[in-house]
Amino acid sequence: MSKLLTLLQDGRFHSGQALGEALGISRSSVWKQLQRIEKEFDLRIHRVQGRGYRLVDPFIPYDPGHLTSGLQGLGWALHLHDVVDSTNSEALRLLGQGCATPFLVLSERQTGGRGRRGRVWISPAGQNLYYSLGITVRNGPHQLAGLSLVIGLAVRDALRRLGIAGVGLKWPNDVYASDRKIAGILLELTGDPAGECHVVIGIGINCNMSAANPAIDQPWTSLRNELGRDIDRNQLVLLLSESLDGYLRRHEAEGFAGLRLEWEANHVWHGRMASLSAGDREVVGRILGVDSDGALRLLVDGCERTFSGGELHLRLRDDS
């Protein structure tokens, strides 16, 4: 099926006969594969008698050979899928099977993409990046402290190299462009956090998604919206992987303390009034930055307080 998508990726009309000849299958088999693509990938196909078939939206599929070659220099194995429930879930399954790290899981589509705090990550086929890196952490708390913030710096670096200006970070794991969310990060850990453990670094980036989606409950943007052109996700995967490799090495050597000032310089809500909530509890204060472990620093009623934890939710005050 990926070969058929490759033939259709230009968005032009292709006759059933031409597609069948290119794939070495019958026209009826082409028709069956097109139906599967529509159903499994949730892609729209335009049919015109006498002209053939074309994708309503241009689609640039992953190139396994190109990606494998590019990742070899980093020593990362690639696990590429058409559809998974979640790339993070697949990475956790691979770790449970004893798969050697580091490895990268990519998928064209997710049926159960997950964000922080149990939120659904909208995952249309072929439009965005669904990326999970499995790594081994051997330095315990030192290497885990501030890790999600470091990943944010790596995502920001990759997007800036791609040409997105004004990329900023929101504590603890969102990436913004034009004051709208463009990427999110979800870290999941297995093993002993005090010793050797495994971490799955999940990253979702809005790439070529442009239409409004009522299931998304916050302002968002995409690389396509920001740059005015379609993005080759193969290029993005390799740029992001290079940035991640570099920042993970720096974090291992320096700890988050060595990257703290860089993160604070790119925090889009620095100095603004915000509400921090965890369940029914809410704290209001002015954002001062983060400490050497990546915890949020807030000025609350004239006193500085720090907060950390995976279930915390930070939002701006209406009057900020």
Side-chain angles (χ1 to χ4, degrees), residues 221-290:
T221 187
S222 66
L223 301 180
R224 180 181 181 181
N225 287 345
E226 296 299 312
L227 293 175
R229 58 179 173 84
D230 289 325
I231 301 302
D232 184 345
R233 291 170 302 144
N234 295 285
Q235 179 190 12
L236 177 59
V237 167
L238 296 181
L239 281 175
L240 177 58
S241 299
E242 290 172 4
S243 293
L244 272 173
D245 183 66
Y247 272 94
L248 287 171
R249 291 179 187 276
R250 285 185 60 189
H251 185 230
E252 184 176 10
E254 306 170 28
F256 181 70
L259 293 159
R260 173 186 169 188
L261 293 180
E262 182 181 350
W263 193 91
E264 288 188 327
N266 291 286
H267 190 199
V268 291
W269 289 359
H270 189 83
R272 301 180 72 176
M273 292 296 295
S275 297
L276 185 70
S277 59
D280 296 332
R281 178 168 152 258
E282 183 174 84
V283 176
V284 177
R286 187 173 301 279
I287 298 172
L288 300 177
V290 294

Side-chain angles (χ1 to χ4, degrees), residues 38-304:
E38 283 190 305
K39 181 178 179 180
E40 296 181 18
F41 283 77
D42 196 26
L43 293 173
R44 295 179 298 161
I45 296 175
H46 192 193
R47 303 167 177 81
V48 175
Q49 189 172 2
R51 300 186 67 187
Y53 311 93
R54 72 170 179 85
L55 293 174
V56 173
D57 299 306
F59 173 78
I60 305 173
Y62 288 123
D63 182 336
H66 180 59
L67 291 175
T68 299
S69 176
L71 295 171
Q72 278 180 344
L74 303 178
W76 298 5
L78 174 64
H79 299 263
L80 180 60
H81 300 271
D82 288 339
V83 182
V84 294
D85 53 351
S86 156
T87 55
N88 262 33
S89 296
E90 177 63 16
L92 289 169
R93 287 190 288 267
L94 289 170
L95 289 172
Q97 296 164 11
C99 186
T101 59
F103 63 80
L104 176 61
V105 179
L106 296 174
S107 184
E108 294 284 10
R109 180 184 174 219
Q110 296 182 128
T111 59
R114 295 181 282 112
R116 283 183 68 240
R117 302 167 64 238
R119 288 186 170 183
V120 173
W121 189 268
I122 304 301
S123 307
Q127 295 185 32
N128 301 323
L129 182 69
Y130 316 120
Y131 178 115
S132 295
L133 175 66
I135 64 171
T136 300
V137 171
R138 296 183 172 86
N139 295 333
H142 171 77
Q143 200 172 343
L144 292 172
L147 182 58
S148 67
L149 279 65
V150 173
I151 303 308
L153 284 171
V155 174
R156 174 186 175 274
D157 178 66
L159 297 190
R160 284 181 61 85
R161 291 165 65 195
L162 197 62
I164 306 291
V167 182
L169 306 172
K170 175 204 162 189
W171 188 90
N173 59 359
D174 290 339
V175 183
Y176 274 52
S178 302
D179 292 324
R180 295 171 178 268
K181 186 171 178 177
I182 197 169
I185 298 159
L186 176 65
L187 302 189
E188 296 186 281
L189 183 149
T190 179
D192 180 8
E196 181 173 301
C197 62
H198 299 298
V199 178
V200 173
I201 300 168
I203 300 171
I205 301 178
N206 299 332
C207 296
N208 295 322
M209 189 166 64
S210 58
N213 190 316
I216 302 177
D217 62 356
Q218 59 183 306
W220 63 273
T221 187
S222 66
L223 301 180
R224 180 181 181 181
N225 287 345
E226 296 299 312
L227 293 175
R229 58 179 173 84
D230 289 325
I231 301 302
D232 184 345
R233 291 170 302 144
N234 295 285
Q235 179 190 12
L236 177 59
V237 167
L238 296 181
L239 281 175
L240 177 58
S241 299
E242 290 172 4
S243 293
L244 272 173
D245 183 66
Y247 272 94
L248 287 171
R249 291 179 187 276
R250 285 185 60 189
H251 185 230
E252 184 176 10
E254 306 170 28
F256 181 70
L259 293 159
R260 173 186 169 188
L261 293 180
E262 182 181 350
W263 193 91
E264 288 188 327
N266 291 286
H267 190 199
V268 291
W269 289 359
H270 189 83
R272 301 180 72 176
M273 292 296 295
S275 297
L276 185 70
S277 59
D280 296 332
R281 178 168 152 258
E282 183 174 84
V283 176
V284 177
R286 187 173 301 279
I287 298 172
L288 300 177
V290 294
D291 68 10
S292 58
D293 289 326
L296 182 70
R297 297 165 50 229
L298 283 182
L299 185 65
V300 182
D301 297 329
C303 298
E304 181 177 323

Side-chain angles (χ1 to χ4, degrees), residues 305-320:
R305 296 174 60 184
T306 59
F307 302 87
S308 61
E311 297 305 312
L312 296 176
H313 176 55
L314 184 69
R315 66 183 187 277
L316 285 179
R317 295 280 292 179
D318 292 339
D319 55 354
S320 177

Side-chain angles (χ1 to χ4, degrees), residues 4-59:
L4 180 53
L5 280 173
T6 300
L7 293 172
L8 293 172
Q9 69 180 12
D10 57 9
R12 298 176 180 176
F13 280 102
H14 298 266
S15 70
Q17 181 177 344
L19 291 172
E21 290 175 354
L23 297 172
I25 59 177
S26 66
R27 291 177 63 180
S28 62
S29 295
V30 168
W31 169 245
K32 290 178 182 178
Q33 288 202 23
L34 289 170
Q35 288 181 307
R36 286 184 58 198
I37 286 173
E38 283 190 305
K39 181 178 179 180
E40 296 181 18
F41 283 77
D42 196 26
L43 293 173
R44 295 179 298 161
I45 296 175
H46 192 193
R47 303 167 177 81
V48 175
Q49 189 172 2
R51 300 186 67 187
Y53 311 93
R54 72 170 179 85
L55 293 174
V56 173
D57 299 306
F59 173 78

